[in-house]
Amino acid sequence: MVSISKSLSEEFDILKKYVDNIISLFEDGATVPFIARYRKESSGGMSDLDLRLFHERWQYLTELEKRKVTILGQLDVIDNVPIDVKQKVRHAISKVELEDLYSPYKKTRKNKADEAIKNGLQPLAIEVWFGETSPHPVSIAQWCQRKNIKINAESALEGVESIYTQALLEDSEVLKHGRELFLKQGHISSRVLRGKSSAAEKFRDYFEFDEKVSKIPPHRLLALFRGKKENLLKLVISLPNNDVFPSALYLPSLNTILQRGYDAKPLSNLQKKFLDNAWKSKLHAKLEADVLALLKERAEEGAIKVFSDNLKDLLMAAPAGAYRVIGVDPGFRNGVKLAVIDAQGNLLDHKVIYPHPPQNRFNEASEILKQLIQRHQVRWAAIGNGTASRESEKLLRDVIKQGDLNCQAVVVSEAGASVYSASPVAIEEFPELDVTIRGAVSIARRFQDPLAELVKIDPQAIGVGQYQHDVKASNLSQALSNVVEDCVNSVGVDLNLASASLLSYVSGLSERLAQNILDYRQQKGRIESRRELLKVKGIGEKCFEQCAGFLRILNGKEVLDQSGVHPESYELVKSMAARLGMQSKQLLANASAIAQLKQQMPELASEGFFTYQDILDELAKPGRDPRPEFHYASFDQQVQSIEDLQPDMELEGVVTNVAAFGAFVDLGVHQDGLIHISQLANRFVKDPRDIVRVGQVVKVSVLEVDVQRKRIALKANGL
């Protein structure tokens, strides 16, 4: 068997020593963020994205090797397993290939071919295949009589054909090439099931649908599979000349299975007939099912990637910063919920006002808003973009203008706020608060820092994916968890302010350890140094190594604790400073000193070039935030609903979701518009994410408005 290290070295085109280093680090419990940031010498500078792929592939190959060992053990206790089968098992490169090889030897229920062979029809199958016995009923009956097999001619011939069919169904090469043929030449088509046209209206585009398998994008596949799952659509994969066994699939293996050497003669008409029958009865259906499963898996991978990419963009969106904010969760009948938080996200005050119908207590609501903003010196009003958001935005802007208040109003996404408000995390944090006020708190906090607040919500509830309910939940959950982990560790975490939810995503920490840190903070107070973490229950040297570099302590005992420099490199920084006659703290943001150190890099970089360069980058901008500067969209105050939209209008909006076919934009009318991929730019666009990202402010023109179907077609301006 090819070693896992060798396979990974070839696949990722990196030296085997780096592969061995990375595997060793993973086996020792190192996380992807830790290796990507602090073990670049060991990995050859591999990025976090590549390390994720490497980790997934390493796990796959490890599972594959374990499965090989299990299967080889099973084959060793089965009589008459050909040697070449075991060799193929040892050299299998995928789980599918492995299971194809093992399939004929599994202890499953008997099939018709097994019964035929048990009844002594294998020799007859061989003779009929090679033309030595005629398939005519008289000849078959005579053969059975000579062999003293008490089976009528019709049943015997059925048994013979079942042997051919089963031989093809159990041939790993036939299955492999058959799947490849379907993927390259096949067409997938769908039809609405009889009597389901009305119920399947949302799938109207797929009532009479046909597309080449190799061309169909993941989002269309998932739509087809959803229609099939809801028992509204019938899916079929067909090949040219679909009723005939594809000549490309006939391999010498059938002769081998029938215990004869390879016969290079062209197929006889009789043999072709048997192959066609096998194709129509079982083989086509088997390959079609396999390919549909494969396509669903690929489509799910595509959907998960889209969701993951959008989630990353949302989590890495620009934070407004440490301002006092009033979170506004708008509504009509149940009122507008208000929550004021300080710069650290602590709740200061909360109210419910009823400025909109049916109560219409406008003056009272305006006075309450004015008092809250003035009393708490609120700098921003963050308004959720749900029901009554535009009405609430107008109210806030009027109050601010009339009162000449130093405050700005902005509409933000409230996706997932209701999920947080009813979650155990929110209940523990605000046990006395009404669930709706908790939602307003979440809206305000996510405005301050999207990452810190959104980590408290199940990523699947944030609403930046498509078809997330059609993919395997465990795969989606793992992928999204990886995204959150990468984002949290990329930004870094303030050890004295972070919630348990945020800390739990830090490299090396678990939910239990995160809670232990909070308990320690509550008992002891402010944590003054990274090394103090070793006093927290459950955190030992190995855990400390993994997490310390991603945790920040501002104004602590050790000045380097505010940076991304790992404690293991503090002595190196001290020696760097000493060469210039300085102390470590004097290097921070000191452009001149860092320039000198760069010149001395060859002689100082004893721990490795990557480490030295990263340290210099951190010293230049200690604790830098990789997220962009904060911007927000200005919605047109004359456009409040979809009915107000007209073609050729130019508006500003915020990208809420990016799919393979385009981007959805919030214009402030309670219905997102779609910029189709063809309208994103004046050039060919392969991937919409090359042009736009979730959270990006964009300028658009309205192309078409369908009020009845609630569809808005947009064109991007200047992207």
Side-chain angles (χ1 to χ4, degrees), residues 87-144:
Q87 284 295 101
K88 287 178 179 178
V89 166
R90 292 187 180 96
H91 292 94
I93 61 173
S94 73
K95 293 179 181 178
V96 171
E97 180 183 358
L98 197 56
E99 297 306 325
D100 283 346
L101 289 164
Y102 181 46
S103 179
Y105 304 98
K106 286 181 180 177
K107 290 184 178 180
T108 56
R109 60 190 180 89
K110 296 289 184 181
N111 54 52
K112 290 182 178 180
D114 293 329
E115 290 296 323
I117 292 171
K118 180 182 177 182
N119 290 331
L121 297 178
Q122 175 87 352
L124 176 60
I126 295 171
E127 292 181 22
V128 170
W129 179 259
F130 291 106
E132 295 162 4
T133 294
S134 168
H136 191 278
V138 174
S139 301
I140 296 292
Q142 290 174 345
W143 188 93
C144 290

Side-chain angles (χ1 to χ4, degrees), residues 574-640:
K574 289 179 182 178
S575 68
M576 291 160 63
R579 288 182 69 93
L580 303 181
M582 297 179 175
Q583 294 182 337
S584 297
K585 64 181 180 181
Q586 294 175 294
L587 294 180
L588 298 181
N590 189 331
S592 174
I594 291 169
Q596 292 182 59
L597 291 171
K598 282 186 178 180
Q599 292 177 349
Q600 301 177 32
M601 188 180 295
E603 53 185 298
L604 285 177
S606 58
E607 293 193 21
F609 171 81
F610 288 118
T611 299
Y612 192 86
Q613 183 63 55
D614 283 349
I615 289 173
L616 290 181
D617 290 343
E618 279 295 331
L619 294 175
K621 295 181 179 180
R624 68 193 185 283
D625 193 324
R627 293 174 290 182
E629 290 186 14
F630 174 69
H631 296 285
Y632 66 96
S634 297
F635 291 145
D636 190 326
Q637 296 304 304
Q638 304 303 313
V639 177
Q640 299 286 324

